[in-house]
Amino acid sequence: MISDASNEDRRIQVFAETGEFSFDPDSGLLRLSLENGDLRMQPDPSNAFEEYRISFEQFDYDFHALRIGVGPLQYLIDQLQMNELRDAIRRIESGDRVWELTYRNPLMYSTQIQRMFSIPLSPMLFALVGISLGLRGTVSSRSRGMLLALALFGGYYGLFVYVQQIARDGLLPPELAIWAPNAILLVLGVGLIFNARKLH
């Protein structure tokens, strides 16, 4: 017998002759498979004569393993440290049974490693672009520079999200895809500085 008392007003009880659990490591889902039983719902307090009862031969219920504290030990890939990311890649590529890992694609972990190096550099590259825009002399040029900086920030964010997906799908190596937005910012910042010096 299984009892669900999450709703105190309408408790649910499931009776079955047999049942078993199975775990899908790729999705992190637990499946409860029951056979030959019935589901009973407690009557609504406002109607004591109301009762629901459903008989079944096969009843499957899927729920995420994290809800009961099992399954992937490191569900969020952002929580993994550098050595854990490299170890995950090594284990996946060697064919180990990595039950505790959420993802089985080594590119997910390679992409995360490149993110850990590239993201801390982006503020410095934005500063480089900001300095180059600040070198422009007139007020109107600086105003246009502010709008350009905002557009660059939005464009950088959108491009970064896009290249992450490309890297994870294997369309480009993570080492190339993840660093592309920073490379564009660097080239743009240096180009704007030289352009500003020519104007002066």
Side-chain angles (χ1 to χ4, degrees), residues 7 56 77 127-128 155 161:
N7 184 343
F56 59 83
I77 196 171
L128 177 65
V161 171

Side-chain angles (χ1 to χ4, degrees), residues 18-22 31-35 58-61:
T18 60
E20 64 177 8
F21 278 105
S22 60
R31 167 165 288 187
L32 172 62
S33 298
L34 302 174
E35 295 182 353
Q58 179 75 34
F59 179 75
D60 294 329
Y61 179 69

Side-chain angles (χ1 to χ4, degrees), residues 36 121 125 151 178 199-200:
N36 300 323
L121 290 178
L125 295 173
I178 297 301
L199 293 177
H200 287 285

